Amino acid sequence: MNTKTFLISGLIGGIVDWLLGWLFYGILLADFFPQPNESTKTMVCILAGCLTFGFFVSYIFNRWAQISTASTGAKAGAVIGFFMGLNASLFNMALVKGVTYKMFAVDLLVSIILAIIVGAVIGVLNGKLNPNN
């Protein structure tokens, strides 16, 4: 595994996830989902979670799958987004007061869309940063 490729694609993938999350959850669906408090702790945790996701996808793509194109990155991202989104949505449904089945479905769909885009971005970066793939 090329550590430089892993770090750069993971960092950029995490930033893309953070920006897309802000777009979807903070703007497009702001009236649909309850908004978190805007404390520094909340924002730092959201950014850290997005970076964790970026590095997680980058690790899988670089270490195990050698994914280096937008197409394969998007496909793998869709699968990762489905399972991670399903996991989070099921826990939210069980533990967060007021979560509806509609919110469950929309959150799962958004998770898949975000992971598709993040996967495509990381795939492209892997191809550009590590042309040996």
Side-chain angles (χ1 to χ4, degrees):
M1 178 172 80
N2 185 320
T3 302
K4 177 183 169 188
T5 302
F6 159 70
L7 291 172
I8 292 172
S9 65
L11 178 65
I12 293 174
I15 292 170
V16 167
D17 187 43
W18 182 68
L19 291 170
L20 289 172
W22 168 69
L23 174 65
F24 277 86
Y25 292 106
I27 296 174
L28 298 176
L29 298 169
D31 294 334
F32 187 73
F33 288 106
Q35 296 300 298
N37 59 13
E38 293 192 24
S39 70
T40 302
K41 178 183 173 184
T42 300
M43 295 305 135
V44 168
C45 288
I46 290 171
L47 178 59
C50 291
L51 290 173
T52 300
F53 182 71
F55 286 117
F56 174 68
V57 173
S58 179
Y59 186 84
I60 291 170
F61 286 16
N62 282 287
R63 178 73 174 165
W64 294 319
Q66 290 77 44
I67 291 175
S68 58
T69 67
S71 174
T72 54
K75 290 174 188 172
V79 173
I80 292 168
F82 171 76
F83 285 110
M84 289 191 68
L86 185 60
N87 174 271
S89 295
L90 286 168
F91 275 101
N92 282 336
M93 180 67 90
L95 301 173
V96 178
K97 185 176 182 179
V99 175
T100 65
Y101 288 108
K102 186 175 181 181
M103 291 169 79
F104 174 94
V106 170
D107 191 35
L108 178 57
L109 180 62
V110 170
S111 295
I112 294 167
I113 292 168
L114 294 182
I116 287 170
I117 297 168
V118 169
V121 167
I122 290 174
V124 167
L125 288 169
N126 287 347
K128 293 197 180 298
L129 294 170
N130 194 8
N132 297 330
N133 280 344

